[in-house]
Amino acid sequence: MKLFNRDGNGSAEIVAAVGLISNGIDFDKWEPVLPLGIRDVVAIVGSEPVEALARFYENGEQPDEEFPASATIALGYLKQAVAFFAWLKIIPTLDAQHDEGGRSRRLGENEKGLTALQEFKDEENITRLAYEVTDALVEALDRGAFPFWTESRKYRQREGLLIRSKEEFDEYYNIGSHRLFVTLLPIIREVQGADVAPVLSTKYLNAILHGDKEISGILKEPAARAVALLSIKKAVERLPVEVIPEGIVQVQQSQPVKSRLKAEQSARAAVAASLGADATRCLNRLQQLVAEMSAAGTKVEAYISGPIVHSKGMTF
């Protein structure tokens, strides 16, 4: 699988993809690491779209029935994401010199290296860029609705869910991230099956999934909102903080690294507790609505609220 150096211009392609590095890079140093960057992207979007876009690249990026012209946009984001993830693996050793005497720091005359905090912030920013570009890749795949994406195993995880798109998730909790939505799919399925379906009952869940307008108009909003809130709660508890978009868990950047990591743990706990309380209220309301609908002749009034945006009480 090749995404760079098709025509022997690998270094120029890397510089074009990253845009923040010198044009004098040595592609030979990058080439062994690029497959690891590909693995990072595959872990998020699955192998099918990556393999398909790699074929498109290797065939000269000529549009055809399988690859419309818009596939070049997705390919560009894929190359950027792979380059950024690979760069993260290369950076820690660029300043090191390895020889028979072991490892030493490579610094020119009168040069000073970055402080630990500066290195941390630099790598943190590159990590943020890698995930942001991957987000743009997933958005391009969703908008293009390419068969190699919509028929992939990763995309088909949406089947049978109350929430099937990033835009729909944003109606209940604003994540603003296509990449995070794809990452959340296994958690969404877990939450729907373990926490929401038992309250909703198989009868009403199937009715909503099959598009029953009357039942959906009453039960879908509290059910889907509970799924969204509990999914984000579990994501905050389980996923690395760099995977979660800014605004959900916020930690002051000016703190020392050790203090920042401790503050991050406290922030996670506070956000998870807030989300759990909101989700419990949704489940209680859902349980009440289901009971009322199950009672013969009971008129049920649905309440539709707006999306939840957690942006206060979370900065530590």
Side-chain angles (χ1 to χ4, degrees):
M1 188 189 307
K2 179 178 287 190
L3 288 168
F4 294 92
N5 207 38
R6 180 189 60 212
D7 303 317
N9 298 318
S11 295
E13 290 181 61
I14 292 289
V15 173
V18 175
L20 302 174
I21 56 178
S22 168
N23 57 9
I25 68 166
D26 184 355
F27 184 74
D28 290 339
K29 292 183 178 179
W30 281 71
E31 191 170 19
V33 184
L34 287 172
L36 303 180
I38 292 175
R39 291 180 73 247
D40 288 332
V41 179
V42 167
I44 298 172
V45 303
S47 60
E48 294 97 323
V50 175
E51 291 173 353
L53 289 171
R55 269 198 330 273
F56 179 50
Y57 170 76
E58 291 173 0
N59 292 335
E61 303 175 42
Q62 295 299 319
D64 55 25
E65 292 184 1
E66 183 181 9
F67 300 102
S70 58
T72 57
I73 299 174
L75 174 60
Y77 286 134
L78 173 60
K79 294 179 68 173
Q80 277 189 291
V82 169
F84 276 120
F85 279 120
W87 194 13
L88 282 171
K89 303 177 194 306
I90 294 173
I91 281 179
T93 60
L94 287 180
D95 292 334
Q97 181 174 340
H98 300 82
D99 53 33
E100 65 278 0
R103 182 175 64 182
S104 60
R105 192 178 184 94
R106 180 190 293 131
L107 290 174
E109 187 177 356
N110 298 323
E111 287 184 358
K112 292 183 178 180
L114 298 177
T115 65
L117 180 59
Q118 288 173 326
E119 290 180 349
F120 177 81
K121 287 184 175 181
D122 180 55
E123 293 183 23
E124 185 181 50
N125 184 57
I126 296 170
T127 301
R128 186 183 299 112
L129 289 171
Y131 283 115
E132 190 169 338
V133 172
T134 307
D135 194 345
L137 168 61
V138 178
E139 182 179 10
L141 292 172
D142 280 344
R143 290 185 175 181
F146 310 107
F148 59 78
W149 171 237
T150 58
E151 296 172 8
S152 69
R153 183 175 182 180
K154 182 72 71 171
Y155 187 91
R156 285 189 285 108
Q157 288 182 3
R158 310 175 188 215
E159 296 174 359
L161 297 180
L162 289 168
I163 302 176
R164 302 184 190 182
S165 70
K166 171 260 179 189
E167 290 74 17
E168 191 174 4
F169 200 104
D170 282 347
E171 293 178 14
Y172 308 108
Y173 188 98
N174 193 350
I175 56 173
S177 170
H178 292 78
R179 184 260 313 157
L180 179 58
F181 177 74
V182 170
T183 303
L184 286 175
L185 285 172
I187 297 178
I188 293 173
R189 186 171 297 280
E190 173 191 342
V191 166
Q192 179 174 308
D195 298 293
V196 176
V199 176
L200 193 57
S201 80
T202 302
K203 171 186 173 182
Y204 291 130
L205 174 60
N206 288 336
I208 294 173
L209 294 177
H210 287 88
D212 187 304
K213 293 184 178 180
E214 181 179 359
I215 294 176
S216 295
I218 298 171
L219 297 180
K220 183 175 180 180
E221 196 279 339
R225 187 177 296 276
V227 168
L229 292 170
L230 287 172
S231 296
I232 289 294
K233 176 180 181 292
K234 290 184 181 294
V236 168
E237 293 171 337
R238 297 176 181 178
L239 300 179
V241 72
E242 61 267 16
V243 175
I244 304 171
E246 293 181 7
I248 296 179
V249 177
Q250 301 180 33
V251 179
Q252 294 290 350
Q253 298 290 327
S254 59
Q255 300 183 65
V257 175
K258 289 185 178 180
S259 299
R260 187 179 184 280
L261 294 176
K262 186 178 295 184
E264 176 192 310
Q265 185 177 7
S266 298
R268 283 174 178 268
V271 174
S274 175
L275 290 165
D278 290 339
T280 297
R281 285 192 289 271
C282 286
L283 288 174
N284 289 340
R285 175 57 177 161
L286 178 62
Q287 189 173 31
Q288 178 186 357
L289 290 171
V290 170
E292 291 176 359
M293 290 185 68
S294 299
T298 299
K299 182 179 179 181
V300 179
E301 295 182 1
Y303 168 72
I304 306 298
S305 59
I308 292 177
V309 181
H310 276 275
S311 60
K312 61 181 180 179
M314 298 179 193
T315 302
F316 287 73

